[in-house]
Amino acid sequence: MDILIKVSGDLVESNEFYDWLESINHFEDKLFVLCGGGTLITKELNYQRIPFEFGPAGREISSERGKFLAKRALESQASIIEARSKWKGLKVTVLAPSMNLGDKICHLNGDKYLVALYPNFDKIYVVTLEGRTKAFPEELNRIEVVYL
């Protein structure tokens, strides 16, 4: 089974997340982890005084410097997931919701990205902090929200 796990950036360093990931890992499954990083991106952009706003597709960053900082933050989160998963003996493919189109950096909202990836996976988990609200269209019935 191909399984996509979108994890909140706030859980990337949480032992609880890796214990949970280990609990769903089966030999025949392929695990793909899509990292979040909204809190870290906001912190970096605010620290650098780079303006952004939230639109219908998520965070909108107009400056190239801001887009670069967001991409770097997501790549940092992805590196942590790769290292911690390897340390736990988990074989995962890690994705960051950022891409380059030519020389243009495109930052994507992780939840929106997972919806675009939906047709390609047998099961999708969205792992986030207790108390956060996550809702997806009812017809996307392979998505399960997990609160840690």
Side-chain angles (χ1 to χ4, degrees), residues 30-46:
K30 291 181 189 172
L31 302 180
F32 299 82
V33 179
L34 174 62
C35 67
T39 302
L40 180 59
I41 292 168
T42 297
K43 181 180 169 186
E44 288 289 322
L45 293 173
N46 285 338

Side-chain angles (χ1 to χ4, degrees), residues 8-77:
S8 165
D10 295 316
L11 289 169
V12 164
E13 297 193 56
S14 162
N15 288 334
E16 191 176 8
F17 168 66
Y18 296 96
D19 291 343
W20 174 85
L21 191 59
E22 193 171 36
S23 77
I24 66 153
N25 185 40
H26 301 287
F27 180 73
E28 66 278 358
D29 293 338
K30 291 181 189 172
L31 302 180
F32 299 82
V33 179
L34 174 62
C35 67
T39 302
L40 180 59
I41 292 168
T42 297
K43 181 180 169 186
E44 288 289 322
L45 293 173
N46 285 338
Y47 180 76
Q48 298 289 332
R49 300 182 196 274
I50 296 172
F52 63 92
E53 52 189 57
F54 288 94
R59 183 187 329 274
E60 296 176 4
I61 306 167
S62 56
S63 78
E64 290 305 312
R65 184 166 173 252
K67 291 175 185 179
F68 175 78
L69 285 174
K71 181 177 179 174
R72 189 176 69 192
L74 290 166
E75 289 170 346
S76 168
Q77 300 284 70

Side-chain angles (χ1 to χ4, degrees), residues 130-148:
E130 193 71 49
R132 288 194 177 162
T133 302
K134 292 287 181 179
F136 296 93
E138 211 173 284
E139 62 270 13
L140 301 181
N141 57 8
R142 292 191 307 267
I143 299 175
E144 179 180 336
V145 179
V146 176
Y147 296 99
L148 298 179

